[in-house]
Amino acid sequence: MTVRFNQGAAGAAAVQFDSADFDIVGIGNAIVDVFSQADDQFLENNGIAKGATTLIDAARAEELYARMGPGVEVSGGSAANTLAGVANFGARGAYIGKVRDDQLGEVFRHDIRAAGVHYETAPATDGLPTARCLILVTPDAQRSMNTFLGASVDLGPEDVEEQLIARAAITYLEGYLWDRPRAKDAFRKAAAVARGAGRWVALTLSDRFCVDRHRAEFLELISGDIDLLFANESEITALFQTGQLAEAITAVRDHCRIAVVTRSEAGSVVITGH
């Protein structure tokens, strides 16, 4: 198909999706998730911020892992999970993310390919091990995530395959990437290649704390390079520093072509044009 959108003062321009080999290529932190049940007292005793994502180092990861109850290991990462989901719906997906040539790295490679996602990023042969996220799930279904980014932080511009980006209708970027300089460079390169090829660029804000860390840069990025924005209610209100969802919805109209705001049990809001 060919999608047309309004470019404001620049007039209308066509975005060519009809020649795309992939519907979506995602770029993110390649992580193996470890899920375990916990109660609020465990979170408090271990200094874990409930419902948030906290970046931890290798020592903290070992400490928490030793204290956690029985866990289940599942390949994940925000964008990787999204690509596995869209592949399950029948879409053609590809993924770019860095693992180490270790056991968890092999688990990740196997799982994402088995999900039907094209994945060819070369593994790191030295340095930090494959990333893992220790996820504590409380009885109210809140997920408190403690993430050791490991080898995923080695993702750099050289890992962004330009032909792959140009062949995808949408390049989907994970906001967590903005936490590391080399990954940020990879992020910018992918966005530039996608836009140069007449494709769309999508961004997920990922986490309210991520928004708080990078608000000014995210606003600049959304205004200049992002066509499609995903956020939950907490993230979008944090981005525009308001306590009112209606005010954030009004503000986001001026920053990107389409915004999707998820609201948990209240459903979702899709904002485009007027």
Side-chain angles (χ1 to χ4, degrees):
M1 63 178 177
T2 298
V3 177
R4 293 185 177 274
F5 54 78
N6 193 324
Q7 283 191 317
V15 178
Q16 300 295 327
F17 285 176
D18 52 343
S19 61
D21 295 321
F22 294 99
D23 297 300
I24 303 170
V25 57
I27 305 179
N29 291 320
I31 298 172
V32 176
D33 295 333
V34 182
F35 290 88
S36 181
Q37 302 291 324
D39 55 24
D40 288 346
Q41 190 62 54
F42 180 90
L43 301 185
E44 183 177 343
N45 291 346
N46 289 278
I48 297 170
K50 184 173 181 177
T53 297
T54 303
L55 297 179
I56 59 176
D57 59 18
R60 175 66 167 163
E62 291 181 5
E63 174 189 348
L64 282 181
Y65 185 76
R67 296 178 181 177
M68 289 169 59
V72 176
E73 295 180 352
V74 181
S75 295
S78 174
N81 285 336
T82 296
L83 265 296
V86 299
N88 191 51
F89 295 149
R92 300 160 300 171
Y95 180 73
I96 297 172
K98 200 78 169 178
V99 296
R100 176 70 192 274
D101 59 346
D102 54 17
Q103 182 177 358
L104 286 183
E106 183 56 38
V107 168
F108 183 91
R109 285 192 296 273
H110 170 272
D111 286 355
I112 197 165
R113 289 170 177 168
V117 179
H118 175 86
Y119 176 63
E120 297 295 339
T121 307
T125 57
D126 55 20
L128 296 170
T130 296
R132 71 284 317 267
C133 182
L134 308 179
I135 304 174
L136 286 308
V137 183
T138 44
D140 58 1
Q142 284 283 347
R143 298 174 304 156
S144 304
M145 297 181 283
N146 304 270
T147 304
F148 168 53
L149 291 173
S152 69
V153 302
D154 289 332
L155 181 74
E158 68 278 5
D159 294 306
V160 175
E161 185 183 342
E162 294 189 21
Q163 290 187 350
L164 179 61
I165 298 295
R167 291 162 57 202
I170 299 172
T171 293
Y172 177 77
L173 303 170
E174 180 183 310
Y176 290 128
L177 283 177
W178 216 250
D179 280 320
R180 290 295 184 268
R182 275 176 43 77
K184 186 185 296 188
D185 290 340
F187 193 117
R188 286 176 166 144
K189 177 181 177 181
V193 170
R195 295 189 70 79
R199 307 303 193 180
W200 275 33
V201 182
L203 168 70
T204 172
L205 292 182
S206 296
D207 183 90
R208 182 187 180 107
F209 291 92
C210 190
V211 174
D212 289 340
R213 290 192 295 273
H214 307 297
R215 181 179 294 107
E217 289 180 298
F218 276 171
L219 285 171
E220 180 181 0
L221 184 72
I222 292 165
S223 296
D225 294 313
I226 302 303
D227 302 292
L228 175 57
L229 177 69
F230 291 94
N232 64 26
E233 189 169 352
S234 175
E235 292 157 2
I236 200 73
T237 52
L239 182 67
F240 293 104
Q241 295 183 287
T242 175
Q244 301 298 320
L245 177 60
E247 292 180 5
I249 287 175
T250 298
V252 78
R253 292 181 190 276
D254 296 328
H255 289 269
C256 57
R257 308 183 198 287
I258 301 174
V260 179
V261 180
T262 60
R263 303 187 62 211
S264 195
E265 70 277 3
S268 302
V269 180
V270 180
I271 305 105
T272 179
H274 299 292

